[in-house]
Amino acid sequence: MKRLQKLPEYYHPRVYVVDDNDTVRDSCVTLMQSCGLSAEAFCCAEDFLRSTAADSCGCLLTDLQLTGCNGLDLLKQMKSAGYRLPAILVSGSLDQETTGCAVEEGAFAILEKPYPVQSLWEAVIAAIENDSQQRTCK
């Protein structure tokens, strides 16, 4: 929480949660909000892309296995559309090939389920700090 207080006053990050599992999506949003972050939920990648701008700030938290466009496809589409939003990819079935593709597509962090809540929180804070620094350096 103290790390968030060091962010510039004009920077208002949001955590965008994309997961087709209602329970997981809602619990991630609740966790982010309970820690003082603004969060917005999407049940699919297509809704996220339709509803957000490429210059959105904060970070994306997305599952790999999504109905329709999966997490890797979402990263590819974000990259081609000019999004600078750091993305955290989570999955219950990671392998070296998937991890390599995620890194290649610009994933900021990759977490394998089940992950400790602290690991998720640390990844989100690091992504938001990175996003803030990238925006103030431009």
Side-chain angles (χ1 to χ4, degrees):
M1 300 286 260
K2 288 182 181 180
R3 288 166 58 185
L4 288 176
Q5 294 170 350
K6 296 178 182 178
L7 296 173
E9 285 188 32
Y10 60 84
Y11 179 74
H12 301 286
R14 179 171 288 214
V15 180
Y16 299 93
V17 180
V18 180
D19 200 307
D20 54 6
N21 181 309
D22 295 342
T23 304
V24 172
R25 185 176 62 244
D26 293 345
S27 66
C28 286
V29 167
T30 300
L31 174 66
M32 296 304 129
Q33 291 174 339
S34 72
C35 295
L37 287 170
S38 175
E40 189 171 348
F42 300 92
C43 63
C44 65
E46 294 84 358
D47 284 353
F48 167 77
L49 291 168
R50 266 192 302 274
S51 301
T52 60
D55 64 350
S56 298
C57 67
C59 74
L60 169 72
L61 174 62
T62 186
D63 193 20
L64 173 63
Q65 301 296 328
L66 297 169
T67 304
C69 175
N70 70 31
L72 284 177
D73 291 335
L74 174 56
L75 294 180
K76 290 176 188 176
Q77 289 184 38
M78 288 173 61
K79 191 178 192 181
S80 69
Y83 280 78
R84 297 183 347 200
L85 201 62
I88 301 165
L89 184 72
V90 297
S91 176
S93 57
L94 284 174
D95 56 38
Q96 283 186 324
E97 182 180 346
T98 303
T99 301
C101 287
V103 169
E104 195 173 288
E105 294 305 327
F108 179 82
I110 303 164
L111 298 175
E112 188 164 13
K113 295 177 186 176
Y115 47 79
V117 173
Q118 186 63 30
S119 296
L120 174 61
W121 180 244
E122 285 297 321
V124 167
I125 294 303
I128 288 173
E129 288 175 333
N130 179 271
D131 185 54
S132 172
Q133 290 168 358
Q134 294 300 318
R135 291 172 192 278
T136 54
C137 291
K138 299 285 177 194

